[in-house]
Amino acid sequence: MTEILERPAAGASSAPDRANAWLSAFEEALTARDVDRAAAMFAAQSWWRDLVSFSWNITTVEHPEGVRDLLTATLERTAPSGFATSEPPTEDGGVVTAWFTFETAVGRGTGLLRLKEEDGADRAWTFLTTLDELKGFEEPKRTRRPRGAEHGADKGRATWKERRQAEAESLGSTTQPYVLVIGGGQGGIGLGARLRQLGVPSLVIDKHPRPGDQWRNRYKSLCLHDPVWYDHLPYLKFPDNWPVFSPKDKIGDWLESYVKVMEVPYWSSTEASSATWSDETGEWTVEVEREGRPLTLRPTHLVFATGMSGKPRMPDVAGLDVFRGDVHHSSRHPGPDAYRGKRAVVIGSNNSAFDICGALWENDVDVTMVQRSSTHIVKSGSLMEYGLGDLYSERALDAGVTTEKADLIFASLPYRILHEFQIPAYEKMAEVDKDFYDRLDKAGFWLDWGDDGSGLFMKYLRRGSGYYIDVGAADLVANGDVRLVHGQVDHLTEDAVVLADGTVLPADVVVFATGYNSMNGWVADLIDQETADRLGKCWGLGSDTTKDPGPWEGEQRNMWKPTQVSNLWMHGGNLHQSRHYSQFLGLQLKARFEGLETPVYRLQEVNHTG
Amino acid sequence: MTEILERPAAGASSAPDRANAWLSAFEEALTARDVDRAAAMFAAQSWWRDLVSFSWNITTVEHPEGVRDLLTATLERTAPSGFATSEPPTEDGGVVTAWFTFETAVGRGTGLLRLKEEDGADRAWTFLTTLDELKGFEEPKRTRRPRGAEHGADKGRATWKERRQAEAESLGSTTQPYVLVIGGGQGGIGLGARLRQLGVPSLVIDKHPRPGDQWRNRYKSLCLHDPVWYDHLPYLKFPDNWPVFSPKDKIGDWLESYVKVMEVPYWSSTEASSATWSDETGEWTVEVEREGRPLTLRPTHLVFATGMSGKPRMPDVAGLDVFRGDVHHSSRHPGPDAYRGKRAVVIGSNNSAFDICGALWENDVDVTMVQRSSTHIVKSGSLMEYGLGDLYSERALDAGVTTEKADLIFASLPYRILHEFQIPAYEKMAEVDKDFYDRLDKAGFWLDWGDDGSGLFMKYLRRGSGYYIDVGAADLVANGDVRLVHGQVDHLTEDAVVLADGTVLPADVVVFATGYNSMNGWVADLIDQETADRLGKCWGLGSDTTKDPGPWEGEQRNMWKPTQVSNLWMHGGNLHQSRHYSQFLGLQLKARFEGLETPVYRLQEVNHTG
């Protein structure tokens, strides 16, 4: 009876009334520790995604059963309270959307609720809960920012510069980082900034001489494929004059400046050669070489931020040693300048392959692209308009969708049904760009839209490959300026690539734009294969589509959350993911640093080793 | 009759109705080119401040007569239109406040109107009009930002890095800057960023090795005296974790990063030795030495951004050559480290004197402060609370007062009556900090509150000196930790400062914290005395108070606006002024670069040469 009486009635009520009623009733059920009542407030098909606030994990539970399981495990300890809408809820197409804030025993959070009427009552369809900050460990920003000048007069106090210098001198010698982040690209840097803000002693190391070199050293025509609104780092946004697609050297300069102004502890020209965990000391022993000088670091946590793409995948092709021209993986391609007037063969037909083919053609190189399997292509403008525009654009900003809100909206869409939201956008792109696709098709290019037509972002989340965001090079293939052939590479001769069908492609330079292996390859290299296997495959959802084998994992494998290897974390992704998930990885590490209890709900299992 | 009928009626109407009615009627009068009718819509005591939009000047006209004069000179050409409120007007204490936008023949602007009822009609009490952008020359930001990656495929196109390199190589050799900015502190850098955004070929030069050295080279304890919310540069705001009072080395790093990410054309280690104007060529000939290599630049406009404080004022004291210890102006004071255990005499009792005394005391130096005349002191916290808090603070931001709005609100308060707004704030500070002032008074410190009790900001605007924002050192004087003496310096001996009354102050180091001369000293040095005299005194309002002789000038002398010296401009001020007025100086230079007509209304006269 109680359950029925307290279940909010849908119908004529306003969106705010409906959302407030649901949140109040939900809080009552939680306060009463009535797991069944709370679970019954979710729709038969529903998803609760929690980012650290209840689960100390990144996890999605499904349907009332999943909610019951999550709450049974976490409710008592989490002690949630204070659920309140943070802006007026809205209703669209029968779905009420409500932003809310809440508290737990140890933190404060933000959430996003979508309600639907089902069986005469409003029930949660999607429910997102995220942890914003830990009580007592709030970040020093806005009203809590440091004063800078300490007022008063104190004998012998040190200046900011003196304190910074002392810190730099002691780090790695008399003091140890609690967290060592390996890899100082946008992922490592953004996480480094979060940890700095959170007061977690950390160090980011990177092999390049300067922050940003990770971008500067790529092929010279490279620009970001994602637009600026999607690419902000934590805390410090690009100014309004920043290019839509940042040129690689410009983003390199930004990252370098960011490290400095955010005071990220960062060692350039530093490479780790081995890492060993000791159960006894509860520490890693990491051997590094800093500017040529060997050094041992003893962090408690180790974060791999070495690139979600993992290690370059270089096929084992016969004849690599006899080929007399240049041959390299796309990650090492220097750009077209040295090849003017020569013949290039590019193996592969995804982003890097197209970028490289385009730049080579622009510099009067004779270019052949070897397509080995089908590729998904979307025009950059269409992707911005139909794929990202509602969340990441000037239009979105004008509508009040800040980067922070966009990140949460995106995070609130359950992976399990995300493809359903994606398919219509790609159907629209296929329609508006029909001529473009017809031309590619006529040129013999093998096109696809993902196994289920859900397009680029799902391919990215599932396998991290298989697409090209067209910024112009597709037309070169369509009109024959870049020669297209199909097949698998059999071997190289002194001056040509030979395909399995016997086709001979004369070449002065061969570029293998053949992608990357799983991130845990880095772990095998630095630690050992056993640990890499125990960690398991990284990235992907278990969608049982090409290159993303099932079973369903619920979240991206091993990313930003506890793994089967104690005190080892994987961080990365595009700029959006690095920005957003560094918040949650940062808070998980902060909680451990402060000695808070962090019982992990449903630690992920390993279904694939690599 | 028409006039009476069309004059909006005050009374029971709402604030929006009253503001909209006034703006409509005003626009009608302007459209009819009816100067008398428009002037009659202003209160008997009223001020219209225009920042470039009508006057191509920074100017304030007073009362209906002044409005009539401004409009008679500018209305036909300005052709204003489209006055519309940009947010709901509000009413408080009988004053209606309305934000509005408008257009002119060549630009778009923002304004702020305050209405009062007078003689049965709503009349403007204060009226601010500012130019935001020039039509056809809108800045490439937000939806107009550059794409970065140019889509498509073009043979031989250059990358961002290649274009930046080519530009850097040609600047000063095959291409000339249209504007040369001398001085690369926050003023020059912010203006350089504006000009870059506006597409005006410019160059900022500075003698220091790195941007930010202007701050890094100051005494080591220095932090900004103004809080962070007041200090943003154009386009790129400090992140939310930035200290309230930025340490000098941290602001130095920010400026250096800013130059890079905003792509400000900036030559370090460059000093100008002479500048000559040629009527014939319409160009300046500026001799500079860049990293030791002499070079001639030929800019069309010359901007001095060498510091509003002008040249260090070093009194001509006998015995400077016989004194055996260190003696220097405060601008060259290195900080306390070398003086531990020694005796210091600091001449002066304003900001620098207190900062230096405090840092010396903290490092166990025996310190004597010589007060020569009275000083205005406010506690930093009280200044933030009562002086700035409504405009520049987290509280202001939470109330929707962005930095941009705060700048305009401040700009909308007429200098003529600004002291009236200031006096109550300082009366409040005197009250809440009474104990503090009593202690200083008891210690014999000569305090003042400005000639008319209007406090710090008026002193700053009128004379740029005469105050200390207390961050702790005042207590050292109050409690005797820093010895206080009064008097004028007569001469120095081998080891002491001797005052006019015969007092001998033994000293190992003497610091002259004796302030700065007028900025046009820089002009005399670089160009010649005749030009400096023709330019006249810079800074100050003509308030007929101490160090700010009358007659009333209406605006700050020679700052950010056309001067009596053709193609010569003075830029500077604190971070707030540098930020805000660089917008208007930038637009004035842009208009000239594009060949727009820029007839200056009421070019300022010179009443004092220095």
Side-chain angles (χ1 to χ4, degrees):
Chain A
M1 273 301 289
T2 323
E3 191 185 340
I4 290 165
L5 281 172
E6 293 189 349
R7 190 177 286 168
S13 310
S14 69
D17 287 349
R18 290 171 62 187
N20 286 322
W22 191 93
L23 285 171
S24 303
F26 185 61
E27 182 168 349
E28 265 185 54
L30 296 182
T31 304
R33 304 291 184 260
D34 189 339
V35 168
D36 288 334
R37 195 193 334 160
M41 293 181 65
F42 282 71
Q45 294 281 311
S46 58
W47 291 268
W48 178 351
R49 186 166 193 226
D50 181 57
L51 304 181
V52 181
S53 64
F54 280 67
S55 62
W56 290 108
N57 200 350
I58 291 180
T59 196
T60 301
V61 293
E62 303 193 345
H63 322 321
E65 315 84 83
V67 172
R68 190 175 302 112
D69 190 67
L70 171 66
L71 287 176
T72 302
T74 65
L75 179 56
E76 191 59 41
R77 177 183 42 76
T78 304
S81 66
F83 289 80
T85 55
S86 49
E87 60 182 81
T90 56
E91 191 265 319
D92 186 26
V95 177
V96 171
T97 300
W99 291 92
F100 63 92
T101 54
F102 66 101
E103 294 191 15
T104 69
V106 300
R108 293 180 197 89
T110 299
L112 184 53
L113 162 70
R114 291 188 188 85
L115 284 181
K116 272 179 173 176
E117 192 181 337
E118 188 175 271
D119 298 334
D122 277 331
R123 297 177 205 264
W125 171 43
T126 71
F127 191 58
L128 173 73
T129 46
T130 74
L131 185 65
D132 289 334
E133 61 185 3
L134 293 165
K135 292 177 185 173
F137 306 106
E138 294 82 2
E139 289 188 34
K141 59 186 184 185
R142 298 207 66 201
T143 56
R144 296 177 191 272
R145 70 177 77 219
R147 293 192 68 80
E150 296 306 320
H151 293 183
D154 299 296
K155 289 270 181 188
R157 66 169 150 186
T159 64
W160 172 84
K161 186 182 171 189
E162 287 166 341
R163 279 181 282 118
R164 292 277 290 146
Q165 282 171 341
E167 184 195 326
E169 278 160 24
S170 68
L171 183 64
S173 57
T174 57
T175 62
Q176 286 294 325
Y178 180 74
V179 179
L180 179 66
V181 181
I182 299 180
Q186 67 267 13
I189 286 173
L191 179 63
R194 298 264 192 205
L195 292 170
R196 173 108 202 148
Q197 272 298 105
L198 288 164
V200 178
S202 305
L203 173 61
V204 181
I205 63 171
D206 193 274
K207 63 183 177 187
H208 296 90
R210 290 159 61 200
D213 282 348
Q214 302 84 357
W215 287 99
R216 292 192 193 94
N217 290 349
R218 300 292 308 279
Y219 51 90
K220 76 169 197 175
S221 63
L222 179 64
C223 293
L224 299 195
H225 290 93
D226 290 323
V228 59
W229 307 279
Y230 191 73
D231 297 335
H232 294 296
L233 270 69
Y235 306 114
L236 184 63
K237 294 208 168 86
F238 297 111
D240 285 345
N241 68 343
W242 203 260
V244 177
F245 303 102
S246 191
K248 73 181 177 75
D249 294 285
K250 192 165 170 66
I251 198 82
D253 287 352
W254 180 263
L255 292 171
E256 189 172 13
S257 290
Y258 184 92
V259 164
K260 187 160 226 179
V261 303
M262 296 303 295
E263 303 182 17
V264 177
Y266 191 103
W267 287 0
S268 293
S269 302
T270 302
E271 255 186 294
S273 55
S274 75
T276 320
W277 171 256
S278 163
D279 273 333
E280 230 165 283
T281 62
E283 280 177 356
W284 293 93
T285 298
V286 185
E287 302 298 341
V288 308
E289 205 172 272
R290 183 184 188 192
E291 291 168 2
R293 200 168 52 86
L295 203 78
T296 304
L297 295 171
R298 302 191 185 283
T300 305
H301 292 271
L302 197 58
V303 178
F304 279 78
T306 38
M308 62 68 67
S309 296
K311 300 183 63 175
R313 181 190 296 131
M314 190 73 179
D316 187 19
V317 169
L320 282 174
D321 50 340
V322 303
F323 183 68
R324 287 188 310 203
D326 284 359
V327 57
H328 45 243
H329 187 265
S330 58
S331 60
R332 298 193 170 273
H333 178 65
D337 294 339
Y339 307 117
R340 191 175 292 272
K342 298 193 173 172
R343 298 159 304 176
V345 173
V346 177
I347 317 297
S349 54
N350 290 342
N351 259 337
S352 296
F354 269 101
D355 272 1
I356 290 169
C357 286
L360 287 167
W361 176 85
E362 288 185 340
N363 285 271
D364 295 319
V365 181
D366 177 88
V367 192
T368 300
M369 173 187 276
V370 179
Q371 186 173 31
R372 302 173 303 156
S373 58
S374 68
T375 299
H376 171 50
I377 299 187
V378 286
K379 289 178 83 73
S380 173
S382 302
L383 183 65
M384 295 226 303
E385 181 64 25
Y386 305 108
L388 288 173
D390 288 346
L391 295 181
Y392 301 97
S393 65
E394 293 299 330
R395 164 161 65 87
L397 287 172
D398 286 342
V401 182
T402 61
T403 309
E404 291 73 18
K405 286 184 90 166
D407 287 350
L408 289 169
I409 293 169
F410 195 83
S412 75
L413 303 173
Y415 285 135
R416 180 75 95 172
I417 55 172
L418 187 53
H419 60 285
E420 295 173 20
F421 294 86
Q422 297 284 310
I423 291 168
Y426 290 88
E427 287 175 347
K428 181 76 186 173
M429 293 184 224
E431 182 192 319
V432 298
D433 296 324
K434 183 172 184 309
D435 286 354
F436 169 76
Y437 292 111
D438 285 351
R439 275 185 288 124
L440 276 168
D441 193 52
K442 209 169 151 188
F445 193 86
W446 296 337
L447 288 167
D448 74 66
W449 294 82
D451 287 9
D452 52 3
S454 61
L456 189 136
F457 206 76
M458 293 314 301
K459 270 202 164 185
Y460 172 75
L461 292 171
R462 291 165 173 174
R463 51 179 280 195
S465 65
Y467 50 81
Y468 170 50
I469 301 174
D470 178 45
V471 292
D475 272 325
L476 297 177
V477 170
N479 65 23
D481 283 337
V482 166
R483 197 176 305 110
L484 176 70
V485 299
H486 293 97
Q488 303 299 324
V489 176
D490 187 78
H491 66 280
L492 270 60
T493 65
E494 280 191 352
D495 57 3
V497 174
V498 181
L499 302 185
D501 68 358
T503 307
V504 176
L505 305 169
D508 301 302
V509 54
V510 179
V511 182
F512 282 90
T514 41
Y516 298 84
N517 290 311
S518 166
M519 265 177 279
N520 67 359
W522 300 114
V523 174
D525 281 1
L526 192 69
I527 308 173
D528 53 39
Q529 189 61 48
E530 183 276 324
T531 307
D533 289 347
R534 191 149 47 88
L535 174 71
K537 183 176 167 69
C538 301
W539 206 260
L541 299 167
S543 61
D544 203 17
T545 58
T546 307
K547 298 196 181 180
D548 182 30
W552 181 248
E553 306 270 0
E555 294 284 338
Q556 289 206 280
R557 294 182 190 92
N558 278 323
M559 297 307 299
W560 319 293
K561 61 177 181 175
T563 70
Q564 292 288 346
V565 181
S566 160
N567 296 46
L568 178 73
W569 308 78
M570 305 305 284
H571 179 57
N574 59 27
L575 283 145
H576 153 234
Q577 291 171 305
S578 292
R579 169 183 69 243
H580 194 219
Y581 289 100
S582 60
Q583 174 182 331
F584 306 105
L585 179 48
L587 288 168
Q588 290 175 81
L589 290 164
K590 172 68 173 177
R592 284 161 176 81
F593 175 67
E594 298 295 348
L596 304 185
E597 279 189 57
T598 57
V600 175
Y601 169 72
R602 240 176 41 172
L603 183 68
Q604 91 156 58
E605 286 165 29
V606 172
N607 296 303
H608 308 278
T609 52
Chain B
M1 272 301 286
T2 325
E3 192 184 341
I4 291 167
L5 281 173
E6 294 191 348
R7 190 177 286 168
S13 310
S14 70
D17 286 350
R18 289 170 64 186
N20 285 322
W22 191 93
L23 285 171
S24 303
F26 185 62
E27 181 167 347
E28 264 185 54
L30 297 182
T31 303
R33 304 293 186 261
D34 189 339
V35 168
D36 288 334
R37 195 190 338 157
M41 295 181 65
F42 282 71
Q45 296 280 311
S46 58
W47 291 269
W48 178 351
R49 186 166 192 226
D50 180 59
L51 304 181
V52 183
S53 65
F54 280 68
S55 63
W56 288 107
N57 201 348
I58 291 180
T59 196
T60 301
V61 293
E62 303 193 344
H63 321 321
E65 316 83 85
V67 172
R68 191 175 301 112
D69 190 67
L70 172 66
L71 287 176
T72 301
T74 65
L75 180 56
E76 190 61 39
R77 177 183 42 75
T78 305
S81 66
F83 289 81
T85 56
S86 49
E87 59 182 82
T90 56
E91 191 265 323
D92 186 27
V95 177
V96 171
T97 299
W99 291 93
F100 63 93
T101 55
F102 66 102
E103 294 192 16
T104 69
V106 300
R108 293 180 198 88
T110 299
L112 184 53
L113 163 70
R114 291 188 188 85
L115 284 181
K116 273 179 172 175
E117 191 181 340
E118 189 175 271
D119 298 336
D122 275 333
R123 295 175 207 265
W125 171 43
T126 70
F127 191 58
L128 172 73
T129 47
T130 74
L131 184 65
D132 289 334
E133 62 185 3
L134 293 165
K135 293 177 184 172
F137 305 106
E138 294 81 3
E139 289 188 32
K141 59 186 184 185
R142 299 208 66 201
T143 55
R144 295 176 192 275
R145 72 178 76 219
R147 293 192 69 80
E150 296 306 321
H151 293 183
D154 299 297
K155 288 271 181 189
R157 65 169 151 186
T159 65
W160 173 83
K161 186 181 171 189
E162 287 166 339
R163 279 182 281 119
R164 292 278 290 146
Q165 282 171 340
E167 184 195 325
E169 278 160 24
S170 68
L171 184 64
S173 58
T174 56
T175 62
Q176 286 294 324
Y178 181 74
V179 178
L180 179 66
V181 181
I182 299 179
Q186 68 266 15
I189 286 174
L191 179 63
R194 297 264 193 205
L195 292 170
R196 172 106 202 152
Q197 272 298 103
L198 288 163
V200 178
S202 305
L203 174 62
V204 181
I205 63 172
D206 194 273
K207 63 183 176 187
H208 297 89
R210 289 160 60 201
D213 282 348
Q214 303 84 357
W215 287 98
R216 292 192 193 95
N217 290 350
R218 298 295 305 281
Y219 51 90
K220 77 169 195 175
S221 63
L222 179 64
C223 293
L224 298 195
H225 291 93
D226 291 321
V228 60
W229 307 280
Y230 192 72
D231 297 335
H232 293 297
L233 269 70
Y235 305 114
L236 185 63
K237 294 208 169 86
F238 297 110
D240 285 345
N241 68 343
W242 204 260
V244 178
F245 303 103
S246 189
K248 71 179 179 79
D249 293 285
K250 191 165 170 66
I251 197 84
D253 287 352
W254 179 263
L255 291 172
E256 188 172 11
S257 290
Y258 184 92
V259 164
K260 186 161 226 178
V261 302
M262 296 302 296
E263 303 182 16
V264 178
Y266 191 102
W267 286 1
S268 292
S269 302
T270 302
E271 254 186 295
S273 55
S274 76
T276 320
W277 171 256
S278 164
D279 274 333
E280 228 165 285
T281 61
E283 280 176 357
W284 293 93
T285 299
V286 185
E287 302 298 341
V288 307
E289 206 172 271
R290 183 183 188 193
E291 291 168 0
R293 200 168 52 87
L295 202 77
T296 305
L297 294 171
R298 301 190 185 284
T300 305
H301 292 270
L302 197 58
V303 178
F304 279 78
T306 39
M308 62 70 64
S309 296
K311 300 184 64 175
R313 181 190 295 132
M314 189 74 178
D316 186 18
V317 169
L320 281 176
D321 50 340
V322 303
F323 183 69
R324 287 187 310 203
D326 283 359
V327 56
H328 44 243
H329 186 265
S330 59
S331 60
R332 299 192 170 275
H333 179 65
D337 293 338
Y339 306 117
R340 190 176 293 273
K342 297 193 172 172
R343 298 159 305 177
V345 174
V346 177
I347 317 297
S349 54
N350 290 341
N351 259 338
S352 296
F354 270 101
D355 271 1
I356 290 168
C357 286
L360 287 168
W361 176 85
E362 287 186 338
N363 284 270
D364 295 320
V365 182
D366 176 87
V367 192
T368 301
M369 172 187 277
V370 179
Q371 185 173 31
R372 302 173 303 156
S373 57
S374 68
T375 299
H376 171 49
I377 300 187
V378 286
K379 290 177 83 73
S380 173
S382 302
L383 182 65
M384 294 225 303
E385 181 64 24
Y386 305 108
L388 287 174
D390 288 346
L391 295 180
Y392 301 97
S393 65
E394 293 298 330
R395 164 161 64 88
L397 287 172
D398 286 343
V401 182
T402 60
T403 310
E404 291 72 19
K405 286 183 92 167
D407 287 350
L408 289 169
I409 292 169
F410 195 83
S412 75
L413 303 172
Y415 285 134
R416 180 74 96 172
I417 55 171
L418 186 54
H419 60 286
E420 296 173 19
F421 293 86
Q422 297 284 309
I423 291 168
Y426 290 88
E427 287 174 347
K428 182 75 185 172
M429 292 184 224
E431 184 191 319
V432 298
D433 296 324
K434 184 171 183 310
D435 286 354
F436 169 76
Y437 292 110
D438 285 351
R439 275 186 287 125
L440 276 168
D441 193 50
K442 210 170 150 187
F445 193 85
W446 296 337
L447 287 166
D448 75 65
W449 293 83
D451 288 8
D452 52 2
S454 60
L456 189 137
F457 205 76
M458 293 313 301
K459 271 202 164 186
Y460 172 74
L461 291 172
R462 291 165 173 173
R463 53 180 280 196
S465 65
Y467 49 82
Y468 169 49
I469 301 174
D470 179 45
V471 291
D475 272 325
L476 296 176
V477 170
N479 66 21
D481 283 338
V482 166
R483 197 177 303 110
L484 176 71
V485 298
H486 293 97
Q488 303 299 324
V489 177
D490 187 79
H491 66 279
L492 269 60
T493 65
E494 280 191 351
D495 56 3
V497 174
V498 182
L499 302 185
D501 67 359
T503 306
V504 175
L505 305 169
D508 300 304
V509 55
V510 179
V511 182
F512 282 90
T514 41
Y516 297 84
N517 290 310
S518 166
M519 265 178 280
N520 67 359
W522 300 114
V523 175
D525 282 0
L526 192 69
I527 308 174
D528 54 39
Q529 189 61 49
E530 183 276 323
T531 306
D533 289 348
R534 192 147 49 89
L535 174 71
K537 184 176 167 68
C538 300
W539 207 259
L541 299 167
S543 61
D544 203 17
T545 59
T546 307
K547 298 197 180 179
D548 183 29
W552 180 249
E553 305 270 2
E555 293 284 339
Q556 289 207 280
R557 295 182 190 92
N558 278 324
M559 296 307 299
W560 318 293
K561 60 179 182 173
T563 70
Q564 291 288 345
V565 181
S566 159
N567 295 47
L568 178 73
W569 309 78
M570 304 305 283
H571 179 58
N574 58 27
L575 283 146
H576 152 234
Q577 292 172 304
S578 291
R579 169 184 69 244
H580 194 216
Y581 289 101
S582 61
Q583 175 182 330
F584 306 106
L585 178 48
L587 287 169
Q588 290 175 80
L589 290 164
K590 173 67 172 177
R592 283 160 177 82
F593 175 67
E594 298 295 347
L596 304 186
E597 279 190 57
T598 57
V600 175
Y601 169 72
R602 240 177 39 173
L603 183 68
Q604 92 155 59
E605 285 165 29
V606 172
N607 296 303
H608 308 279
T609 53

